[in-house]
Amino acid sequence: MTSDKILRASIFILAFLVGLLRENVAHGKESWQVRHEVEGIREYQLQNGLKVLLFPDHSKATITVNMTYFVGSRHEGYGEAGMAHLLEHMLFRSTRTRTHIMQLLEEKSGDFNGMTWPDGTLYYETLPATPDNLEFALSLEADRMLNSRITADELRTEFSVVRNEFEMDENNPQDVLREQMLGVAYQWHGYGRATIGNKSDIENVSAERLREFYKRYYQTDNAMLIVAGQFEEADAKKLIEKYFSPMPKPQRPLQATYTTEPVQEGERQLTIRRAGDQATVGLMYHTVAGGHPEAAAVAALVAMLAEQPQGLLYKELVEEGLASEVEGSIWNAAEPGVISFFAKAAKGQKPEKLALRMIEILETLQPDQLNLAHLKRYQQHASRNFTLSFNSNETAVNLSEWAAMGDWRLFFANRDSV
């Protein structure tokens, strides 16, 4: 071999070793630079894009590991209605290294679940606070992210479970009304589709198509890991490095959703007729996104109007005998959501009369019909709920929902706005 060839070979070997070293660094020890910190919760980001929130609290006897993926029903395409929720179910089946995941979780004597909504999907385990349980939960979530099998046989078995959920929703008149009202309110945006999905899509989607959805969205750059409760931060970091750092950063780009619901030009009305003797009336109004500066004020208004027994809707509808009960809710979402009000017609009352009176109350509302006492009660209630959420795994779920709206720190910003 000539000296030139030896030199070229040496340069090639050196370049290869440098590349290998860089890869090992990228997949090895993380720098663990704090990106954000709010009230004891620290945010980090691994080199592969995974966001990590650590919230040690030694007053707890448990530890919660929560994995959130920023994909929900609004990301589904044609023929995919219900796919995000169906995939959530499949991740409790098996991976290439674990079988019977539900049984493994049940043996740990803790609390665990999954949840899908339009903006995201989450999985959590709350277990007795031991080093073994911490490693079990972190290794499980890493395994589910990378190795879920999603076989045709498992999918056939899970169909019946999801169908049961679908049919349960169909038996709740107010849930049916709410879902169909959303479909009328959003004619183009994904928020108009129910997360549970369409029955034919649920029954006919293939395991292959579900796996494609999984591989596209269940990746480090589209996920946030939360560890909360009694644990040592240094130990958690070592385990996260062990199980998550080796995962490569995805090369595929994720396309952001871009559909904007057009301005609604006038009222839209919907009537559902089914067998039964109970009539329910609902009103729904478009409103701001959950991260909007006015979202806290909108939520306060809805709660104050529907408050029992002091709220205006309760006094004007229930106490006057038009309705047997009233309810108000706000849907905080990543993009502009809705507020809704429901009332069950009292026995012998026509729903048409109830609807007209509800519209009159809400659309002629005057400032002097709400007072500071209403607001103070709402603020106290909201503050109490915020505090109580830290006594359970609810904090991790709340952080996930606000992260899916844009940033987990909105959880605290919204509290301050209230």
Side-chain angles (χ1 to χ4, degrees), residues 165-208:
E165 283 191 33
F166 183 91
E167 288 164 3
M168 284 172 62
D169 286 349
E170 282 290 294
N171 290 329
N172 185 314
Q174 189 162 305
D175 285 350
V176 171
L177 179 59
R178 190 192 311 272
E179 286 182 5
Q180 295 208 25
M181 288 173 70
L182 282 168
V184 172
Y186 291 99
Q187 297 188 332
W188 301 101
H189 196 281
Y191 284 166
R193 291 192 303 270
T195 301
I196 191 70
N198 173 278
K199 189 175 182 181
S200 64
D201 285 5
I202 295 168
E203 292 177 337
N204 293 309
V205 67
S206 66
E208 181 182 3

Side-chain angles (χ1 to χ4, degrees), residues 14 41 48 70 72 81 129 148 152 179 182 208 224 234 236 243 266 278 298 304 324 340 344-345 354 361 365 368 391:
L14 179 61
I41 302 174
N48 57 22
F70 300 115
S148 291
E179 286 182 5
L182 282 168
E208 181 182 3
M224 184 177 75
Y243 290 108
Q278 176 64 63
V298 174
M304 291 158 64
S324 59
S340 54
K344 289 184 178 179
L354 174 59
I361 294 167
L365 188 65
D368 60 4
N391 296 329

